[in-house]
Amino acid sequence: MLYSPRVLLLLPHPSPSSSSTQRESISICFIMIVLCCKCGIRMQLNAANMCVNCLSSENNITEGLRKHFELKHCPECDSYLQPPRNWIKIQLESKELLAFCLKKLQKDLNSNKVRMVHAEFIWTEPHSKRIKVKLKVQKEIINGVILEQSYVVEYVQREQMCESCSRVQGNPDQWVAAVQLRQHVSHRRTFFYLEQVILKHDAAGRAKKIKEVDNGIDFFFSSWSHGAKFVDFLGKVSPVRLGSRGDKQLVSHDPKSNNYNYKYTFSVEIAPICREDLICLPQKVAAGMGNFGPLVICTKVTNNIVLLDPFTLRHCFLDADQYWRASFKSLLTSRQLVKYIVLDLDVINSAEATIDGRKYVLAEAQVARISDFGKNDTIFSIKTHLGNLLKPGDYALGYDLYAANTNDIELDKYKSKGLVLPEAILVNKSYEEKRGKKGLKPGLWKLKSLPMEVDDKGEIEKDKKNKDYEEFLRGYKENPELWFNLSVTEGEEAPSVPLDEVMAALDLSEEEDGDFLMEE
């Protein structure tokens, strides 16, 4: 028997108040309403003359689609196998894992002419080793009618160690590439800063072992490419010099297959210039910078070294190549800083100089060493670049050139030409006393650290390391622009400093240059 649909026309009913002209201009709108040929319910007309429920019961567009897959998962490094041999490290229920799962069934969807429109994870117990993804797919069935249905795909995790983890499991000391990072200075503050930058960017996530040694850190990787990538990262965050680009040593040789196994070593040296260091520039370097200096202060270290003349507010930037061509050292380091009290201060010029986001103003100040109180009345009249930060009664850290015993060839050359050294050079304002008055405790927060092994010598110098760590924390507390590199343990907050004490040192109107920051 032929089926004849019943048609219902819906016409707009004009109101009695409408004029005859308005009634004639009303267009006729109609909706085709028919009865389903299967269940007989009223529905909007479609090419199949069937309602959605009947279409779904008659047609299953998910039939023939794979609903079970296996994923090879390495439990040691939490990575998944991308055939044939590539292992990808992906977090559970992340966008990357969803894309990885959908890629496995894309070929199956294309062969069945099914289009995916939505996908989401279904929560499962972590120990179940199951990943479930709910999909919505569409497919054209009868006379251009498109049907949408949902189904669940289950991925079963099969534990299998990747090649690198297998080697490490068989021999924990097995490594292919080693990065030997060194800096020849008397403290480890640079490595504390660099450790936070590495944690912030997860740069050493592929390191199989990290070992703390004298004057540096050793990183061990399972492949040459991982070591080379880490060396490239170091070059972006610090002024380094690469001594060797993967010097190799033969480990084994299979003459039948002609396969060779090597171990590679990268030697990386960080420039021995740190933030707050006082530097006497060599004559050739100062002349090449337009008679800059010669006594300058290092204010910041990233992949560039920022130098400031505290007597003229001139500054310059040295990249790694420029520095290593000259290769000068510091005259005095932060370990030799002396605490002063400001007795009087007069601003020479109210014009501010903004250097790398920090403001400076030249001023003449009268200062005295804290250690001289009660012993003598020695007062120094000096010029300082901290005129916008200091006021009478404040404390400052600086270098005591009046009593310092310097043994520097370059400085002696300048003295022979008539250079008169200032009695003191202030470097930074000290907030220690004001933090103590406001009851700010330094131990309220804790930073994350790399899982490093320590050799026997490191255990012996533990007291020295703790002192360097305290100096490192002081630098973070008094420099808010460094806080974005902090990796604070879960549940902790970043350190705090009285806001009114540090806002004058920052220029928030200028945007960051986007470089990685590794200061010290």
Side-chain angles (χ1 to χ4, degrees):
M1 180 178 68
L2 296 176
Y3 171 73
S4 177
R6 300 167 65 182
V7 179
L8 174 64
L9 297 179
L10 301 180
L11 301 177
H13 182 70
S15 61
S17 60
S18 301
S19 64
S20 59
T21 305
Q22 289 176 334
R23 293 194 190 102
E24 292 176 358
S25 63
I26 294 176
S27 60
I28 299 178
C29 300
F30 63 91
I31 300 175
M32 186 75 74
I33 302 298
V34 299
L35 300 180
C36 176
C37 65
K38 287 290 185 181
C39 62
I41 67 170
R42 296 176 61 186
M43 53 165 277
Q44 188 174 345
L45 179 64
N46 58 45
N49 291 330
M50 296 173 63
C51 65
V52 175
N53 293 333
C54 293
L55 282 173
S56 300
S57 62
E58 290 287 331
N59 302 273
N60 183 11
I61 62 176
T62 65
E63 186 177 358
L65 298 177
R66 291 186 60 183
K67 299 178 177 62
H68 296 276
F69 290 87
E70 282 192 1
L71 298 178
K72 299 294 180 63
H73 175 252
C74 179
E76 295 295 326
C77 61
D78 200 22
S79 58
Y80 294 86
L81 176 62
Q82 176 67 48
R85 298 182 60 183
N86 188 25
W87 289 84
I88 305 174
K89 189 174 182 180
I90 310 175
Q91 296 294 330
L92 193 63
E93 293 194 359
S94 62
K95 293 181 180 180
E96 292 78 10
L97 181 58
L98 182 60
F100 179 76
C101 294
L102 296 179
K103 187 176 181 180
K104 286 187 170 295
L105 53 86
Q106 189 62 48
K107 184 177 179 180
D108 190 38
L109 295 177
N110 294 338
S111 61
N112 287 273
K113 299 182 180 180
V114 175
R115 185 168 67 94
M116 180 180 58
V117 295
H118 182 71
E120 62 182 359
F121 283 113
I122 297 178
W123 187 84
T124 56
E125 291 287 349
H127 62 270
S128 65
K129 305 298 181 184
R130 299 290 189 274
I131 299 176
K132 294 184 178 181
V133 180
K134 184 179 180 181
L135 301 175
K136 283 185 180 180
V137 295
Q138 293 179 348
K139 184 179 181 180
E140 182 179 343
I141 49 174
I142 305 173
N143 300 328
V145 175
I146 297 177
L147 180 62
E148 179 178 292
Q149 289 181 343
S150 300
Y151 73 107
V152 177
V153 180
E154 184 180 72
Y155 298 85
V156 181
Q157 291 184 0
R158 300 298 182 190
E159 303 297 346
Q160 175 182 326
M161 283 192 181
C162 62
E163 295 179 2
S164 59
C165 291
S166 298
R167 288 195 299 266
V168 174
Q169 192 73 12
N171 182 6
D173 295 328
Q174 181 71 24
W175 54 269
V176 175
V179 178
Q180 298 176 344
L181 183 62
R182 300 290 185 269
Q183 186 186 36
H184 300 290
V185 293
S186 60
H187 57 80
R188 296 191 64 88
R189 287 164 47 205
T190 298
F191 295 104
F192 293 136
Y193 280 95
L194 186 58
E195 182 179 9
Q196 296 302 310
V197 179
I198 292 173
L199 287 169
K200 186 71 174 180
H201 301 282
D202 194 24
R206 294 184 179 271
K208 296 303 177 184
K209 185 174 68 172
I210 304 175
K211 186 177 181 180
E212 179 182 328
V213 296
D214 188 27
N215 290 330
I217 304 175
D218 289 343
F219 298 84
F220 299 91
F221 298 89
S222 60
S223 69
W224 180 91
S225 61
H226 295 164
K229 184 177 180 181
F230 183 68
V231 171
D232 292 338
F233 172 80
L234 294 176
K236 295 178 181 178
V237 299
S238 58
V240 300
R241 176 173 62 179
L242 187 59
S244 61
R245 186 72 180 181
D247 287 344
K248 59 185 181 180
Q249 178 184 1
L250 181 64
V251 177
S252 63
H253 171 221
D254 185 0
K256 294 182 179 180
S257 59
N258 201 28
N259 289 333
Y260 294 83
N261 293 324
Y262 295 96
K263 281 188 175 182
Y264 301 89
T265 303
F266 298 86
S267 178
V268 183
E269 182 182 357
I270 303 177
I273 302 297
C274 303
R275 186 174 58 85
E276 297 181 344
D277 282 2
L278 180 64
I279 301 167
C280 180
L281 293 175
Q283 295 183 7
K284 290 184 179 180
V285 177
M289 298 178 184
N291 292 325
F292 178 69
L295 291 178
V296 296
I297 299 173
C298 177
T299 61
K300 186 176 181 181
V301 179
T302 57
N303 54 344
N304 293 319
I305 299 175
V306 184
L307 301 177
L308 169 68
D309 187 340
F311 310 111
T312 62
L313 297 187
R314 292 178 61 192
H315 68 282
C316 71
F317 296 83
L318 291 180
D319 59 24
D321 293 336
Q322 290 174 322
Y323 169 78
W324 288 111
R325 282 198 296 267
S327 188
F328 50 85
K329 294 184 178 180
S330 299
L331 179 65
L332 297 173
T333 66
S334 57
R335 281 195 169 186
Q336 298 164 286
L337 287 172
V338 177
K339 188 176 295 185
Y340 292 86
I341 184 171
V342 179
L343 303 177
D344 192 15
L345 187 135
D346 294 323
V347 176
I348 299 176
N349 188 350
S350 59
E352 296 180 342
T354 302
I355 303 172
D356 203 34
R358 295 179 67 90
K359 294 180 180 179
Y360 300 100
V361 172
L362 277 180
E364 291 183 351
Q366 290 186 348
V367 299
R369 292 173 295 200
I370 298 295
S371 59
D372 288 343
F373 272 67
K375 298 180 180 180
N376 55 61
D377 298 329
T378 304
I379 298 176
F380 304 113
S381 296
I382 61 172
K383 185 182 292 185
T384 179
H385 62 291
L386 305 176
N388 60 320
L389 294 179
L390 298 177
K391 58 182 181 295
D394 285 346
Y395 294 90
L397 296 175
Y399 292 107
D400 184 9
L401 298 181
Y402 178 79
N405 184 14
T406 59
N407 184 14
D408 187 83
I409 297 176
E410 296 297 333
L411 185 62
D412 293 339
K413 292 180 181 178
Y414 284 110
K415 287 182 179 180
S416 64
K417 294 182 178 181
L419 175 66
V420 179
L421 295 180
E423 296 170 322
I425 297 180
L426 301 184
V427 174
N428 210 342
K429 182 177 179 179
S430 176
Y431 299 92
E432 184 176 352
E433 287 74 13
K434 296 197 174 183
R435 281 203 307 270
K437 292 179 181 179
K438 298 194 177 186
L440 295 175
K441 298 180 181 180
L444 295 179
W445 48 278
K446 186 177 180 181
L447 298 180
K448 293 181 181 179
S449 59
L450 291 171
M452 287 189 290
E453 300 178 3
V454 182
D455 56 10
D456 296 336
K457 189 174 182 180
E459 291 292 340
I460 297 175
E461 299 181 350
K462 191 172 182 178
D463 294 338
K464 176 184 174 183
K465 180 179 176 181
N466 291 338
K467 184 177 180 180
D468 292 339
Y469 189 72
E470 292 177 0
E471 289 294 319
F472 154 74
L473 294 181
R474 178 187 65 83
Y476 259 118
K477 294 170 188 175
E478 299 179 0
N479 292 275
E481 68 270 20
L482 308 182
W483 291 357
F484 77 95
N485 275 330
L486 284 176
S487 296
V488 184
T489 57
E490 187 174 357
E492 302 286 348
E493 295 182 355
S496 59
V497 181
L499 187 61
D500 56 344
E501 300 293 337
V502 298
M503 286 300 293
L506 299 178
D507 184 6
L508 302 180
S509 62
E510 296 189 2
E511 297 181 355
E512 294 292 337
D513 56 5
D515 291 340
F516 291 107
L517 181 63
M518 193 284 293
E519 289 213 15
E520 192 48 36

